Amino acid sequence: MTIRTVVSMAVLTLREASRRRVLLALAVLTVALLLLSGWGFSRLAAESSYGTLTSGEARMAASQLLNLVMFGFSLIAALGTAFLAGPTLSGETESGIALAVLARPVRRSAVLLGKWLGLVVFGSGFVVLAGLAQCLIVWWTVGYWPPQPAVALALLAAQTTVLLTLGLLLSTVISPMASGVVAVGLFGATWVAGVVGGIGEALGNDGVARVGAVSRMLLPTDGLWRGAMHAFQDPVALARLGAAFDGSPFLSRAPLTAAYLVWAAAWVVMVWGLAALSFQRKDL
């Protein structure tokens, strides 16, 4: 009965997400970014064919620009999932729909798990499809294919999962709009802290570098993003750039460790557990 409830809620959440205007906004932003990036990469390929850039320089530029564009998709996914997670739970509570559903012998944790799974499928599917389309555009225009696209897209999907789990927790205690704003704000703040930490590492300042390390532990979105960047990057181009680019916000020299991936998974489990506990005690 619980498994059937979880699956049913996941399917209903997917259907509800597909009807929301947020999906239309995501589609418009995604198509616009794909078209704009396709034009930009085509111009890069033209410069290479004219002899202004060598094939190696074009490949290096494509590797860096791909990270920049993928950050745009990461931001779009963050906005979409954060503003979907809030209305999906908190909105139903305020409208009274949740009370009608939970009046039956249905566990709140099963409802929450089903909604979470539906959002994970939605957000991860968006990131993977949009990211794959972008990789195909780069390959078609410049001839560059990332060394580990599957790993990179999986890490972007994990980043989306982390953020929507946070949004789900926030939606159990504050309004839908506020939960989305706070989640996106924390996403941006963690990224900025990661940039500051990277600059600190490049300058050899341990105190400043610790800012990025701590922020990546408190909210793993930036850490997962840096792992995805490393998987998108051309290793040859990475070696040519040298230590002068160590502080770049769109450059990551090392892959993620297994310990950090375990921590990110544990973080999702802990935050989901807090969301379940908060939802269980929430007055409907």
Side-chain angles (χ1 to χ4, degrees):
M1 181 64 181
T2 301
I3 296 177
R4 185 179 300 176
T5 301
V6 170
V7 173
S8 299
M9 292 305 303
V11 172
L12 290 173
T13 301
L14 279 172
R15 290 178 180 175
E16 180 186 359
S18 65
R19 298 191 190 103
R20 291 186 179 275
R21 294 183 178 179
V22 174
L23 180 60
L24 178 60
L26 286 176
V28 171
L29 289 173
T30 301
V31 171
L33 186 55
L34 287 173
L35 291 175
L36 183 62
S37 65
W39 176 82
F41 281 108
S42 67
R43 299 309 306 160
L44 181 63
E47 292 294 326
S48 178
S49 63
Y50 294 153
T52 308
L53 295 176
T54 65
S55 59
E57 290 172 338
R59 184 182 179 88
M60 183 184 300
S63 173
Q64 294 302 296
L65 288 175
L66 180 60
N67 277 343
L68 176 61
V69 175
M70 284 301 181
F71 180 75
F73 283 121
S74 174
L75 182 58
I76 292 173
L79 291 169
T81 54
F83 284 99
L84 274 176
T88 298
L89 189 63
S90 184
E92 291 184 359
T93 302
E94 293 182 356
S95 64
I97 296 176
L99 183 61
V101 174
L102 295 174
R104 305 169 185 177
V106 176
R107 294 182 180 178
R108 293 192 182 189
S109 59
V111 172
L112 185 69
L113 180 59
K115 290 183 174 295
W116 180 81
L117 285 175
L119 290 171
V120 167
V121 171
F122 179 85
S124 300
F126 164 78
V127 168
V128 170
L129 290 176
L132 183 59
Q134 183 61 60
C135 289
L136 289 173
I137 288 175
V138 176
W139 176 75
W140 180 61
T141 54
V142 186
Y144 171 72
W145 187 254
Q148 296 177 302
V151 172
L153 294 176
L155 289 174
L156 287 181
Q159 180 194 49
T160 303
T161 300
V162 166
L163 192 62
L164 69 85
T165 306
L166 175 63
L168 208 61
L169 170 62
L170 294 172
S171 69
T172 63
V173 292
I174 56 180
S175 67
M177 182 60 70
S179 64
V181 171
V182 172
V184 174
L186 290 174
F187 171 84
T190 304
W191 181 77
V192 171
V195 173
V196 172
I199 294 174
E201 291 177 2
L203 297 177
N205 190 319
D206 293 336
V208 177
R210 197 174 295 115
V211 173
V214 172
S215 67
R216 286 191 285 272
M217 295 300 292
L218 294 177
L219 182 60
T221 51
D222 185 62
L224 293 170
W225 158 244
R226 291 182 175 275
M229 277 198 301
H230 180 80
F232 279 128
Q233 288 167 174
D234 181 11
V236 176
L238 188 65
R240 289 180 178 178
L241 288 174
F245 290 86
D246 283 350
S248 172
F250 301 107
L251 180 69
S252 179
R253 292 193 172 276
L256 292 181
T257 63
Y260 188 81
L261 292 175
V262 171
W263 164 247
W267 188 95
V268 170
V269 172
M270 289 189 294
V271 173
W272 189 92
L274 290 174
L277 181 62
S278 177
F279 188 51
Q280 189 69 33
R281 296 181 176 182
K282 189 176 181 65
D283 186 11
L284 302 179

